[in-house]
Amino acid sequence: MRLLLVEDEKRMAQALCEILRQEKYDVDHFADGLEGLFALETGTYDLAVLDVMLPGKNGFEIASAARRKGIKTPILMLTAKSELDDKVTGLDCGADDYLTKPFMTRELLARLRALARRNIQSPDGTLRFGDLTLYKESSMLHCGENSVRLSEKELRILEYLIANQGRILTREQLAAKIWGYDSEAEYNNVEVYMSFARKKLNFVRSKTEIKAVRGIGYELRYEDV
């Protein structure tokens, strides 16, 4: 699960990155609010943790700007302030939850798990599109009576496409989502793994297709003909 952390306190950021990576989160960290906003607006993150007091843009401004752009990534706001008005402001700006410093690590992780569950596409933890059912826990893709196991990259690609059904995703978004925001992976890696994902769709005889939109990116389409 890819997580964005925007925190300018160096020690706090280092500690959080270590804790979150131990919990198997793929973490991208930014200390500047403006850089954090640009990263959040890519739409590649499953969760975001924002400090309120940041250089460039504060956490309230980041959340508000991202929501205006249609970014639905669940946001947990961190702050040293405990006043009710600050909590209300954060929620009104689009944050989903609020945690006051200092906090216990267990509480932070529990709140992140709750936000992640809230962001799952179906009550039983599966993703569905057209004739496909994707079981994230087992990495299995089903279509009718046919099924196949996905590699990690194939799973991430299909999960991201299904979660953003109806949208065209650019190669840049896919590269950042699958390989990380700071990854040096080349964009042709996207095309290679997109080809692998298409083969898995064909293997289960799905009518769902990954369509390339020339000059833009990819989208998932289902045509029941």
Side-chain angles (χ1 to χ4, degrees):
M1 182 167 289
R2 188 158 297 282
L3 184 147
L4 172 66
L5 172 65
V6 189
E7 168 63 70
D8 66 327
E9 294 182 21
K10 187 174 181 179
R11 290 184 179 178
M12 170 70 77
Q14 290 176 339
L16 287 176
C17 284
E18 183 176 348
I19 290 166
L20 293 168
R21 285 168 181 151
Q22 287 176 353
E23 294 295 319
K24 308 304 181 184
Y25 289 98
D26 293 327
V27 183
D28 290 332
H29 167 245
F30 295 90
D32 180 82
L34 192 57
E35 292 180 351
L37 174 59
F38 290 154
L40 184 56
E41 286 180 342
T42 64
T44 62
Y45 294 97
D46 302 297
L47 294 168
V49 178
L50 309 178
D51 190 23
V52 170
M53 303 303 292
L54 293 164
K57 282 188 178 293
N58 65 43
F60 299 145
E61 293 171 324
I62 295 173
S64 181
R67 295 307 188 221
R68 287 197 300 270
K69 289 287 186 69
I71 301 300
K72 298 180 180 179
T73 304
I75 295 173
L76 175 65
M77 200 79 78
L78 299 180
T79 184
K81 298 180 179 180
S82 60
E83 287 82 359
L84 177 60
D85 287 347
D86 289 319
K87 296 182 180 180
V88 171
T89 299
L91 296 173
D92 285 345
C93 287
D96 297 274
D97 201 356
Y98 203 103
L99 193 57
T100 302
K101 300 176 183 177
F103 51 81
M104 298 293 289
T105 298
R106 288 186 301 172
E107 183 177 7
L108 170 66
L109 295 176
R111 288 175 182 262
L112 290 175
R113 287 194 296 269
L115 289 178
R117 287 194 298 270
R118 197 182 307 175
N119 200 37
I120 289 175
Q121 299 297 305
S122 60
D124 59 358
T126 63
L127 296 170
R128 294 183 174 86
F129 178 84
D131 55 0
L132 294 174
T133 302
L134 178 61
Y135 294 89
K136 295 165 59 177
E137 292 297 323
S138 61
S139 299
M140 294 297 295
L141 180 69
H142 290 250
C143 177
E145 296 181 355
N146 303 313
S147 63
V148 66
R149 187 176 299 278
L150 303 173
S151 70
E152 178 190 358
K153 297 290 191 298
E154 293 164 352
L155 174 64
R156 288 194 176 194
I157 285 173
L158 288 174
E159 178 185 358
Y160 192 36
L161 287 168
I162 293 173
N164 289 275
Q165 52 192 267
R167 293 178 56 196
I168 299 173
L169 299 176
T170 67
R171 288 177 177 83
E172 291 81 3
Q173 287 176 311
L174 285 158
K177 178 68 175 181
I178 309 306
W179 283 275
Y181 193 78
D182 293 324
S183 173
E184 296 180 356
E186 297 180 1
Y187 292 144
N188 62 2
N189 286 345
V190 175
E191 297 180 5
V192 169
Y193 280 93
M194 202 63 71
S195 174
F196 293 160
R198 287 190 176 111
K199 289 179 181 178
K200 294 297 176 70
L201 293 178
N202 290 334
F203 183 84
V204 297
R205 300 174 184 262
S206 174
K207 295 179 181 178
T208 300
E209 295 182 276
I210 300 173
K211 292 286 189 179
V213 181
R214 185 178 295 275
I216 304 178
Y218 300 89
E219 69 173 327
L220 208 58
R221 295 181 187 173
Y222 174 71
E223 298 180 5
D224 189 8
V225 294

